[in-house]
Amino acid sequence: MDSGKLDVKLIALDLDDTLLNDERKITDGTVMALRACAEKGIYIVLCSGRAEDAILPFVRQLEIAGREEGKFIIAINGCSIYDMHKRQQVFCQKVSSDILLAANRIAEEHGLKSEVYTPDTIYYAEETKWTKLDVDLCGLKGKTVENYEDFLQQGFTKMLIPGEPEELQNLQKILKAEFAGRAVIFTSKPYFLEVLPPNCGKGEAVSWLSNELGFGVEKTMGFGDSMNDESLIRMAGYGVAMCNGLSQIKEIADFVTDFDNNHDGVGEFLKKYLL
């Protein structure tokens, strides 16, 4: 298959502030460009911190899920790869229960509450304004768990600790020191602090998937804007930062888009380099 100027077999796309505009929609020009890429035999993989069910509405908008090129999604910042044709997880990494329990206790010592995820539900010990914000943003169900610490014993792909940005910056330093080498700690949004398994990220997931598909990570392109896209931008064969992205992401990218997420940034880049 001819893939235009660059030899790309898979395009991985972050959602918020990358593929989605500020109204959390995919602009028409970008939809058309991604469909055209799929028709050229290029895999289109949405790659988000969201859980699986929260990604599906955007896959449906692209109308490529029925194709071979549209069957995979990467969820929970790379902890899960889901095959929509087989309707099953084909790759999964979890945070160990001892780290979840310790992170939750440290969060509570600082007056903060944690949450954990399954593909369709966010679980927490009690509902707060932050849990409501996350449920609204993700479009998932929210559920209170009575024996939350016991619930954490099974291990989960991700723990999220929401709160005021200043408080989370302090907690992030504490958790990074506490779990160095045993968990990945970062803020996906200023008010969301995430705890993920070690050696886990969007880039690692794209690398695994591209190797499984037989062409390797050097023939992948990754779009992102924020720190949870860092491994994707760094590891993809062609790392593309949004012009509206963080300066740290633009510095490590191979390319920066000419247009932002509100003006077909992804679509215009694809038309320029692939279509």
Side-chain angles (χ1 to χ4, degrees), residues 104 108 111-115 122-136 142-145 148 160-164 167 191-192:
N104 180 61
E108 292 205 332
L112 296 163
K113 301 291 182 182
S114 71
E115 313 167 0
I122 304 172
Y123 296 92
Y124 34 77
E126 65 180 78
E127 188 176 72
T128 68
K129 70 172 185 177
W130 295 109
T131 59
K132 289 178 182 175
L133 173 66
D134 197 17
V135 166
D136 289 344
K143 189 170 183 181
T144 304
V145 179
Y148 185 65
L160 184 137
I161 303 166
E164 298 294 343
E167 294 177 328
Y191 41 82
F192 286 162

Side-chain angles (χ1 to χ4, degrees), residues 2-200:
D2 173 30
S3 296
K5 301 172 188 176
L6 303 177
D7 188 9
V8 173
K9 304 294 186 190
L10 184 152
I11 300 168
L13 301 129
D14 168 56
L15 290 183
D16 292 312
D17 302 316
T18 298
L19 183 61
L20 306 185
N21 65 13
D22 291 350
E23 295 176 351
R24 282 188 269 162
K25 295 177 181 176
I26 311 174
T27 50
D28 291 342
T30 293
V31 169
M32 298 306 292
L34 288 169
R35 287 179 189 164
C37 287
E39 286 167 9
K40 290 169 74 75
I42 302 171
Y43 283 88
I44 307 300
V45 182
L46 303 194
C47 193
S48 174
R50 288 172 164 86
E52 290 84 343
D53 277 22
I55 300 172
L56 292 176
F58 305 108
V59 177
R60 293 188 189 107
Q61 187 181 344
L62 294 176
E63 295 181 358
I64 59 169
R67 303 177 60 102
E68 168 68 20
E69 296 85 1
K71 71 178 186 178
F72 294 108
I73 54 176
I74 294 175
I76 315 288
N77 283 318
C79 294
S80 169
I81 302 176
Y82 192 79
D83 183 327
M84 290 180 285
H85 291 189
K86 294 180 179 176
R87 297 190 177 184
Q88 68 181 44
Q89 228 173 18
V90 293
F91 174 89
C92 180
Q93 288 187 287
K94 289 185 177 183
V95 185
S96 64
S97 58
D98 60 321
I99 289 175
L100 293 176
L101 286 163
N104 180 61
R105 286 172 189 153
I106 293 168
E108 292 205 332
E109 286 168 7
H110 289 78
L112 296 163
K113 301 291 182 182
S114 71
E115 313 167 0
V116 289
Y117 293 69
T118 61
D120 62 359
T121 307
I122 304 172
Y123 296 92
Y124 34 77
E126 65 180 78
E127 188 176 72
T128 68
K129 70 172 185 177
W130 295 109
T131 59
K132 289 178 182 175
L133 173 66
D134 197 17
V135 166
D136 289 344
L137 279 175
C138 292
L140 296 178
K141 293 177 286 187
K143 189 170 183 181
T144 304
V145 179
E146 279 190 27
N147 299 308
Y148 185 65
E149 288 204 344
D150 291 343
F151 187 69
L152 294 179
Q153 296 281 359
Q154 59 193 292
F156 288 89
T157 50
K158 173 172 97 168
M159 172 175 276
L160 184 137
I161 303 166
E164 298 294 343
E166 311 78 49
E167 294 177 328
L168 295 185
Q169 286 300 314
N170 179 47
L171 184 61
Q172 179 174 255
K173 292 175 187 173
I174 294 167
L175 294 182
K176 278 190 170 183
E178 181 73 23
F179 304 128
R182 296 189 294 144
V184 174
I185 314 288
F186 63 88
T187 50
S188 53
K189 291 185 181 292
Y191 41 82
F192 286 162
L193 178 61
E194 305 205 5
V195 182
L196 296 178
N199 305 312
C200 181

Side-chain angles (χ1 to χ4, degrees), residues 12-22 27 30 222-226 229 232-233 239-270:
L13 301 129
D14 168 56
L15 290 183
D16 292 312
D17 302 316
T18 298
L19 183 61
L20 306 185
N21 65 13
D22 291 350
T27 50
T30 293
F223 286 85
D225 71 285
S226 191
D229 305 314
L232 174 61
I233 300 296
V240 186
M242 301 300 293
C243 66
N244 53 282
L246 297 177
S247 58
Q248 302 100 301
I249 295 299
K250 289 190 268 193
E251 284 167 11
I252 63 169
D254 300 302
F255 300 91
V256 177
T257 62
D258 295 324
F259 300 93
D260 66 18
N261 62 309
N262 290 313
H263 298 90
D264 284 324
V266 169
E268 290 296 327
F269 186 91
L270 294 175

